[in-house]
Structures are given as C-alpha cells and as structure tokens.
Amino acid sequence: MSRYFRYYPKTQYKVANSSFTIQKSITNISLKTALIDTISQNDPYLFLRYTVKENERAEDVAYFYYDDPGLSWLVYFANDIIDPYTQWTKPYEDFVAYFRKKYSSQSLPEGTDPIEWGQNTLRTDNIVHWKNNDDEMMLLSPDSYIRAQTFDNDFVAGNWTAVRYYEYENNLNEEMRNILLINSSYVGTAIENLKRLLND
C-alpha cells in the first residue's frame, strides 16, 4: 500500500517535554477520499464481483486483475477496508490461530482447546445465537431462546438451530472472500482523483 500513501500530504508532528523535542514530517493518513466522484455511478460495470482464493492477498488480486500488485490499495478502497489484518479473509491456519487467541479465555474448563470448545454441540456456553430453520435472518439470543422455551406455548425448539462461535467466526471469514473490484478501465481516473483530492 506504500504507493497509495505517497500521494498523501505531509503534516508536522511534534512531541516535546522538558528533556527533549521530537519533530517529524509524517504522512497524514487520516484523510478520507472520494476517488470515484467523477466516475459514472450509473455504469453497471463500475464494480465487479470477485471471490478471494485461499492464501490470496490483496497484492495478488491487484496483480491478477490490474497487472500491478502496487494497486492493492484500490482493492482495499473498493471494499472499505481500513485494517487488512482484520478485514481481509484469513487462510485456514491464520483463522485457527486467530480463533484460538480470541476465545482462549472462554474455552473453559482450563485446558480445553478453543477450536474444540467452539464446535462442541454438547455445550451451551459456546452459542452465539439461534437461527430459524425457515428464515435464517430470524435470530434469537441464547437468553431469548431459553425464555421462549419456558414461556411461549407455541414455540417449537426443533425449528431453531444453534450457531456456535466457531461456525459464526468461520462464516464471517468466508463472507470476506466476496469482494468488489473497481473496473480496470477506471484505474487511471481513480489515481488522478486521489492525487487531486489529497493535494488540493
């Protein structure tokens, strides 16, 4: 992404106390841009759908589609990705490491592997929510599910499926594979807009 940031204006950053003063010229990355303002929003081919393959990085996608790995910033921009470490799909090994780290404190009793805990169908403390089998958009929290079983005479437990943390996190990770790419014919316009917006 270094080629992206080279267009950003510089700002002076100063830290001082009684012992020392540090002053540096740094790249101002806090600016938000609207790169596609002058590109027709009515073009149905402005954005193209793409599915990220296992172990594929934004640089790989940019090389494959734009023939330039330095345009990875455009891949991030098209998908509103600010932090590629958390907003880009993780390869399986990285996903497992991420899951273990995130849920190690919850995978009790002591010593239970977080992956095993997150998938264990005999547990209830690993349920994120319950989804309706006929309408997956209809969700219940674990507490609401218990209340419905207790107080709603029309509630049918068999109509609901538990979504556990492993499945939930894995689904989120898989959803991040589906990205958008700005049509390659607009790359030049996007770069010129970036230069203009950041240096006006």
Side-chain angles (χ1 to χ4, degrees):
M1 287 193 20
S2 59
R3 288 176 57 186
Y4 176 53
F5 292 121
R6 75 180 177 186
Y7 301 123
Y8 275 68
K10 300 290 184 180
T11 188
Q12 294 300 311
Y13 182 75
K14 185 175 181 179
V15 176
N17 65 22
S18 59
S19 303
F20 63 87
T21 299
I22 298 175
Q23 185 166 342
K24 287 195 171 189
S25 175
I26 62 171
T27 301
N28 183 358
I29 63 171
S30 65
L31 298 177
K32 292 189 176 182
T33 60
L35 299 186
I36 54 174
D37 275 354
T38 61
I39 297 174
S40 172
Q41 296 293 317
N42 298 321
D43 185 348
Y45 302 108
L46 174 59
F47 290 102
L48 307 174
R49 297 187 182 280
Y50 183 81
T51 301
V52 178
K53 300 174 186 67
E54 183 72 6
N55 290 311
E56 197 170 32
R57 301 169 305 162
E59 291 84 356
D60 302 321
V61 175
Y63 180 73
F64 168 76
Y65 184 65
Y66 299 118
D67 202 30
D68 183 354
L71 290 175
S72 58
W73 63 267
L74 195 55
V75 176
Y76 292 137
F77 171 82
N79 296 281
D80 297 321
I81 294 174
I82 298 169
D83 180 5
Y85 299 104
T86 59
Q87 294 178 286
W88 189 261
T89 185
K90 299 171 184 61
Y92 177 73
E93 297 80 11
D94 293 347
F95 170 75
V96 167
Y98 158 82
F99 189 89
R100 283 195 170 117
K101 182 176 181 181
K102 182 171 181 179
Y103 294 101
S104 61
S105 63
Q106 291 177 242
S107 58
L108 302 173
E110 191 73 22
T112 301
D113 180 68
I115 301 294
E116 179 186 331
W117 168 84
Q119 299 180 83
N120 191 333
T121 58
L122 300 177
R123 302 184 70 107
T124 57
D125 62 338
N126 62 2
I127 297 173
V128 180
H129 55 243
W130 292 80
K131 67 179 177 184
N132 188 282
N133 296 335
D134 296 323
D135 181 1
E136 293 194 353
M137 299 301 290
M138 190 180 295
L139 306 175
L140 286 178
S141 70
D143 288 342
S144 295
Y145 179 81
I146 292 169
R147 281 196 295 273
Q149 278 187 307
T150 306
F151 301 111
D152 186 347
N153 294 330
D154 297 324
F155 184 79
V156 180
N159 291 343
W160 298 82
T161 301
V163 177
R164 291 178 161 78
Y165 279 101
Y166 185 88
E167 178 187 358
Y168 173 76
E169 291 284 358
N170 189 56
N171 287 345
L172 290 179
N173 191 54
E174 288 301 308
E175 285 169 12
M176 287 190 280
R177 290 189 186 280
N178 302 313
I179 64 171
L180 297 173
L181 297 174
I182 292 177
N183 192 309
S184 59
S185 63
Y186 293 120
V187 168
T189 304
I191 292 173
E192 288 308 309
N193 283 354
L194 177 67
K195 291 177 184 177
R196 176 179 53 78
L197 288 164
L198 296 178
N199 291 290
D200 276 353

